[in-house]
């Protein structure tokens, strides 16, 4: 894994003048060297994508579907290799990296299926009013133009897939910018796409440094921006291009609510195990990881020791070891930030029940109780293996606590009460409510996105295709309906 990797410019390999070393956050070893595109090469990619907008939109569905199916199959064939690549550049334990490959397999398969049935059109009689006699409206969707997909480091394969697969399925050219810390997985998708018969110019994978991103964002030939990352950067992008169509999948402060009826030993064991796992998976570096547990007072004392024991049972260490549950964060700076937030909370009076120690880029799975509301940890997305616990006296208070956040991505509600589940769905200001499990559940075909500062628009293959396209109506006149 130490060769120099070319990037993909309008479907072909290319190299630039500068390079970027990708190192492992676990041990600092060199994973690979990536060639960076010059400004002129970026211009070539944008011009090529813009030039094929009409051609790609008119590409037969079976051509786009076949390409997507091909990528899905090739990911299956190379699962172990790709999982080890993800683990090396990202620090993700192999068990989670294999799962990420499996999800990307599904994303490309879902996209192939959607490509075959997308845009059949909806017919509407217009003679419901006298002025519409003999008229029929046929509504279809057409690409808005070239998509600029900006992907994050935490799911370096699957979140690249969530940008590029829906674009291809919808017939929209795409320029994918993978995260500078983890570009190798995105470049590998390019390798598989290059084996297909998609039109030249329909896609590029450009590892452009972040300081050169504003020029891409501002380019008028890229009318659609799909960004996954921090709320600060995402809203700065949207504010800078108010006339562009932006899909923003941003931060979260994921809450898991345990209601009073979820009270048997079996219930609490399940809740504790799921909470412990999904506050720490990916090193906590997931927008929907469990950061807050809000438990009814009637179950709180029985739940807390279960959570602490389950968190302390998480195996930390080398991400390339099959036994490891929790690897390092993406960088030592990221771990230092988490450390500073936890230390601040403890100084303010939070109770440290587990963890709280850093070793280089690794941070021990951590549990705190009764974190003061004005601390950074209580207000912001920690993006690390840290969990906070809070006792409440009622369902109403629990749901108010969930909503007492600037974020609103997903929430989990542990309950057996169907009416409580529907109340949660009505009341909670989030993009998704998961009943009987943690907020960290995501099916890649369902709509995924948030409310408030967690973003705008939705991912999930079909829903991203809707964001990449717009409705256009054809009115037929003089028909005998």
């Amino acid at each position: 894994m130490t060769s120099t990797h070319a990037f993909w410019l309008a479907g072909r390999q290319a190299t630039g003048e500068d390079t970027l070393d990708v190192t492992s956050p676990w041990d600092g070893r060199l994973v690979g060297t990536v060639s960076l595109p010059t400004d002129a090469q970026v211009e070539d990619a944008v011009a090529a994508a813009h030039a094929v907008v009409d051609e790609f939109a008119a590409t037969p569905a079976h051509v786009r579907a076949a390409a997507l199916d091909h990528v899905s199959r090739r990911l299956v064939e190379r699962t172990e290799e790709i999982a080890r690549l993800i683990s090396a550049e990202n620090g993700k334990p192999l068990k989670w990296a294999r799962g990420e490959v499996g999800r990307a397999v599904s994303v490309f398969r879902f996209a192939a299926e959607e490509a075959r049935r997308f845009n059949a059109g909806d017919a509407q009689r217009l003679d419901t009013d006298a002025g519409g006699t003999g008229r029929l409206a046929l509504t279809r969707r057409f690409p808005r133009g070239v998509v600029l997909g900006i992907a994050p480091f935490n799911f370096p394969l699957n979140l690249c897939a969530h940008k590029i697969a829906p674009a291809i399925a919808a017939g929209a050219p795409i320029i994918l910018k993978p995260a500078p810390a983890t570009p190798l997985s995105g470049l590998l998708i390019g390798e598989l796409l290059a084996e297909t018969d998609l039109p030249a110019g329909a896609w590029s994978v450009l590892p452009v440094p972040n300081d050169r991103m504003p020029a891409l964002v501002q380019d008028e030939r890229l009318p659609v921006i799909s960004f996954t990352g921090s709320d600060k950067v995402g809203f700065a992008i949207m504010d800078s291009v108010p006339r562009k169509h932006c899909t923003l999948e941003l931060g979260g402060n994921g809450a898991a609510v345990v209601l009073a009826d979820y009270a048997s030993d079996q219930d609490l064991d399940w809740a504790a195990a799921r909470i412990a796992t999904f506050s720490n998976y990916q090193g906590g570096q997931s927008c929907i990881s469990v950061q807050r547990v809000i438990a009814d007072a009637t179950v709180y004392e029985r739940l807390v020791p279960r959570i602490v024991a389950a968190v302390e049972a998480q195996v930390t260490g080398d991400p390339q070891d099959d036994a490891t549950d929790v690897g390092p964060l993406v960088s030592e700076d990221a771990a230092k930030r988490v450390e500073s937030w936890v230390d601040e909370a403890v100084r303010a009076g939070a109770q440290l029940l587990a963890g709280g120690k850093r070793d280089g880029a690794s941070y021990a799975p951590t549990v705190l109780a009764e974190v003061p509301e004005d601390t950074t940890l209580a207000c912001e997305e920690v993006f690390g293996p840290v969990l906070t616990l809070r006792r409440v006296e009622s369902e109403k208070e629990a749901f108010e606590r969930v909503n007492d956040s600037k974020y609103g991505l997903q929430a989990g509600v542990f309950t057996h009460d169907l009416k409580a589940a529907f109340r949660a769905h009505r009341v909670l200001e989030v993009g998704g409510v998961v009943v009987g499990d943690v907020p960290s559940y995501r099916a890649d075909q369902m709509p995924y996105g948030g409310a408030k500062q967690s973003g705008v628009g939705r991912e999930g293959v079909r829903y991203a295709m809707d964001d990449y396209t717009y409705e256009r109506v054809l009115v037929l006149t003089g028909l005998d309906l």
Side-chain angles (χ1 to χ4, degrees):
M1 295 186 191
T2 57
S3 59
T4 298
H5 298 260
F7 52 85
W8 296 92
L9 194 168
R12 59 179 175 80
Q13 282 190 311
T15 56
E17 298 171 357
D18 297 325
T19 60
L20 170 71
D21 286 341
V22 180
T23 58
S24 164
W26 169 247
D27 57 14
R29 68 184 173 87
L30 181 66
V31 178
T33 299
V34 173
S35 183
L36 301 179
T38 65
D39 289 342
Q41 289 170 319
V42 172
E43 166 59 28
D44 289 345
V46 173
H50 183 66
V52 299
V53 166
D54 292 339
E55 175 190 350
F56 195 38
T59 301
H62 72 87
V63 174
R64 288 178 277 115
L68 293 161
D69 273 331
H70 174 83
V71 175
S72 182
R73 289 193 301 270
R74 293 287 282 138
L75 289 170
V76 171
E77 293 168 1
R78 297 175 63 176
T79 291
E80 189 63 20
E81 169 200 348
I82 298 170
R84 291 189 176 277
L85 176 64
I86 293 171
S87 181
E89 70 170 341
N90 170 275
K92 183 173 300 190
L94 272 175
K95 63 174 65 177
W96 296 113
R98 293 186 184 107
E100 181 174 347
V101 178
R103 289 180 62 186
V105 168
S106 296
V107 167
F108 278 97
R109 186 181 74 249
F110 295 148
E113 294 165 356
E114 293 293 350
R116 293 184 173 96
R117 58 176 170 252
F118 185 67
N119 212 19
D122 295 321
Q124 181 183 17
R125 294 180 68 128
L126 300 181
D127 61 356
T128 52
D129 182 83
T133 300
R135 296 178 186 267
L136 181 78
L138 179 67
T139 303
R140 298 168 62 201
R141 302 191 69 88
F142 294 86
R144 297 176 185 272
V146 184
V147 177
L148 172 60
I150 305 171
F153 70 81
N154 56 329
F155 289 86
L157 181 76
N158 195 42
L159 292 184
C160 285
H162 268 286
K163 306 300 182 191
I164 204 164
I168 292 172
I174 182 166
I175 292 176
L176 177 70
K177 179 198 173 305
T182 57
L184 299 176
S185 299
L187 292 172
L188 191 141
I189 292 177
E191 180 181 336
L192 304 184
L193 285 171
E195 299 170 352
T196 72
D197 295 325
L198 292 176
W203 60 273
S204 294
V205 182
L206 304 178
V208 178
N210 286 343
D211 61 0
R212 291 167 55 196
M213 187 172 71
L216 272 173
V217 168
Q218 294 292 329
D219 197 306
E220 294 182 358
R221 294 167 295 178
L222 308 176
V224 180
I225 297 175
S226 178
F227 171 84
T228 301
S230 73
D231 58 316
K232 179 180 179 180
V233 175
F235 284 118
I237 288 173
M238 189 167 73
D239 290 344
S240 73
V241 285
R243 291 178 177 81
K244 290 195 177 190
H245 185 87
C246 295
T247 297
L248 306 178
E249 196 276 280
L250 308 177
N253 191 346
V257 175
V258 184
L259 294 180
D261 71 291
Y262 215 79
S264 72
D265 288 340
Q266 183 178 6
D267 286 342
L268 296 179
D269 286 344
W270 163 258
R274 297 293 285 176
I275 288 166
T277 296
F278 288 97
S279 63
N280 294 293
Y281 86 125
Q282 326 286 344
Q285 297 170 122
S286 168
C287 297
I288 46 176
S289 67
V290 186
Q291 183 170 333
R292 298 181 289 159
V293 174
I294 301 166
D296 191 273
T298 59
V299 298
Y300 184 85
E301 296 299 338
R302 296 167 57 215
L303 178 64
V304 169
R306 286 175 161 88
I307 290 176
V308 171
V311 167
E312 290 179 335
Q314 296 285 302
V315 178
T316 62
D318 186 347
Q320 297 279 317
D321 186 334
D322 282 321
T324 297
D325 298 311
V326 186
L329 276 69
V330 72
S331 68
E332 186 169 355
D333 284 345
K336 287 179 177 178
R337 179 189 54 76
V338 172
E339 179 182 43
S340 69
W341 289 13
V342 171
D343 289 349
E344 176 202 12
V346 172
R347 288 194 302 269
Q351 303 168 33
L352 182 63
L353 304 181
K357 296 181 180 179
R358 181 181 65 84
D359 181 8
S362 296
Y363 196 79
T366 297
V367 182
L368 301 103
E370 304 305 323
V371 176
E373 295 179 15
D374 59 351
T375 60
T376 308
L377 187 59
C379 302
E380 301 292 339
E381 179 182 33
V382 66
F383 225 59
V386 178
L387 181 65
T388 68
L389 310 178
R390 183 168 294 277
R391 181 200 320 256
V392 293
E393 300 298 329
S394 66
E395 174 192 299
K396 181 176 183 293
E397 184 186 356
F399 291 169
E400 287 173 348
R401 288 284 186 183
V402 174
N403 288 341
D404 186 22
S405 171
K406 65 181 181 180
Y407 297 111
L409 194 47
Q410 293 197 161
V413 180
F414 289 91
T415 184
H416 298 294
D417 185 340
L418 187 59
K419 291 183 178 180
F422 274 87
R423 285 194 294 271
H425 196 207
R426 183 180 68 249
V427 170
L428 296 182
E429 299 166 351
V430 295
V433 178
V434 184
V435 176
D437 207 348
V438 291
S440 316
Y441 176 78
R442 178 184 179 183
D444 291 289
Q445 70 271 41
M446 76 181 190
Y448 176 76
K452 299 189 284 190
Q453 291 192 37
S454 285
V456 295
R458 291 295 180 266
E459 289 197 337
V461 176
R462 172 56 195 265
Y463 304 92
M465 292 169 70
D466 285 345
D467 260 335
Y468 294 170
T469 57
Y470 70 99
E471 293 176 322
R472 187 185 299 166
V473 179
L474 173 69
V475 178
L476 302 175
T477 304
L479 302 178
D480 293 327
L481 297 176

